[in-house]
Amino acid sequence: MLKRPVFFVVCCFVMLYALPAAGQLNPNEYVEEKPPLLKNEWVLGLNIHSAGWGFDFRRGKNLTVNKKRMFELEVVNIKHPKEVKSVNPYYDNAKSFFYGKLNTLTAVRFAIGQQQVLFNKAEKNGVEVRLNYTGGLSLGLAKPIYLNIVKTNSVGDSYLVVEKYDPEKHFVDDIYGRASFTNGLGEMKPYPGFFGKLGLSFEYGSNFQSVKMLEAGITVDAYGKKVPIMAFAENSQVYFNFYINILYGKKW
């Protein structure tokens, strides 16, 4: 008869070999396979923020299993909080416009940053939570506003002319509406500055080679001087915004 310690050791070895074999006896048991590590990623999406909207493109490359370096290009418009849409009530079919608006502001952002995985997907259809932080350059482009202005000739007939908005000359009663957006493109003035972003993203794609992601966070654009967006309100050189991104892309 085997002594008890020897008998215990023999039983342990038998159990260690028996358990894997028992696991193979059930062919219907689901065993999740870990996806291969894909080192590259690109995403394209829509950016909706508290002062406008725009588009976002990113290119990422894994530094480690849970850390990725991101290169980002964003183009968004930034509205002034005092913008109010108006329509001239004295004319039929008049187009809407923003009274007092001098320029539209478009921010072109070039940034580099990192993306850190906080929580990996527990299952194939789970959600991966990432922390994103990026910073870089923000080039503000201010395009002057052009309007359709009502004029009257010597015999009292009215006609329209396209003119750059001038708060000293143009008033609500003689503005017929906004002119084509292409007016003023050649007169855009650059405002160089800096950009920063901090956000959380939630990647929920079921295919490990595709990216489907929602992201929310805050951004800041800071320029060297105030950007003249409105004529009758205080303008700023620093813009804080909350944003939501809807992103789709691919890994390889």
Side-chain angles (χ1 to χ4, degrees), residues 100-116:
K101 187 168 183 176
L102 295 167
N103 295 282
T104 62
L105 174 59
T106 301
V108 183
R109 299 161 172 168
F110 307 90
I112 184 173
Q114 288 191 355
Q115 197 174 79
Q116 179 73 44

Side-chain angles (χ1 to χ4, degrees), residues 236-248:
S236 178
Q237 64 189 94
V238 180
Y239 299 88
F240 290 93
N241 286 297
F242 297 97
Y243 76 92
I244 295 175
N245 276 2
I246 305 170
L247 302 158
Y248 296 92

Side-chain angles (χ1 to χ4, degrees), residues 21-33:
Q24 295 174 358
L25 293 177
N26 185 3
N28 296 321
E29 183 179 356
Y30 173 74
V31 178
E32 177 137 5
E33 296 182 3

Side-chain angles (χ1 to χ4, degrees), residues 207-242:
N207 185 335
F208 67 86
Q209 288 184 306
S210 66
V211 180
K212 296 180 181 179
M213 185 160 53
L214 290 176
E215 181 179 304
I218 57 173
T219 63
V220 58
D221 295 90
Y223 301 107
K225 56 183 178 179
K226 294 180 178 181
V227 183
I229 298 178
M230 296 295 292
F232 308 115
E234 181 67 23
N235 291 295
S236 178
Q237 64 189 94
V238 180
Y239 299 88
F240 290 93
N241 286 297
F242 297 97

Side-chain angles (χ1 to χ4, degrees), residues 161-183:
V161 295
V162 176
E163 293 182 355
K164 183 191 296 186
Y165 171 65
D166 184 344
E168 301 295 328
K169 292 171 50 180
H170 304 136
F171 305 97
V172 175
D173 56 351
D174 61 5
I175 298 175
Y176 188 78
R178 66 186 183 279
S180 171
F181 180 81
T182 57
N183 289 287

Side-chain angles (χ1 to χ4, degrees), residues 30-127:
Y30 173 74
V31 178
E32 177 137 5
E33 296 182 3
K34 290 186 178 181
L37 177 62
L38 303 178
K39 295 184 177 181
N40 297 282
E41 176 180 306
W42 67 263
V43 291
L44 179 66
L46 177 66
N47 179 307
I48 303 170
H49 61 92
S50 50
W53 63 279
F55 298 97
D56 189 354
F57 174 78
R58 299 179 193 173
R59 173 74 165 81
K61 187 175 183 63
N62 278 78
L63 299 176
T64 65
V65 174
N66 291 322
K67 186 178 290 185
K68 192 181 273 88
R69 174 158 292 150
M70 303 298 293
F71 298 91
E72 187 169 6
L73 171 64
E74 279 190 341
V75 180
V76 300
N77 70 322
I78 299 178
K79 297 180 179 180
H80 194 283
K82 296 294 184 180
E83 290 185 23
V84 178
K85 188 174 288 187
S86 305
V87 177
N88 193 327
Y90 302 111
Y91 299 98
D92 295 332
N93 302 319
K95 295 181 178 180
S96 62
F97 63 96
F98 295 97
Y99 184 65
K101 187 168 183 176
L102 295 167
N103 295 282
T104 62
L105 174 59
T106 301
V108 183
R109 299 161 172 168
F110 307 90
I112 184 173
Q114 288 191 355
Q115 197 174 79
Q116 179 73 44
V117 176
L118 300 181
F119 301 100
N120 287 297
K121 289 184 181 180
E123 299 178 358
K124 182 178 180 181
N125 294 321
V127 176

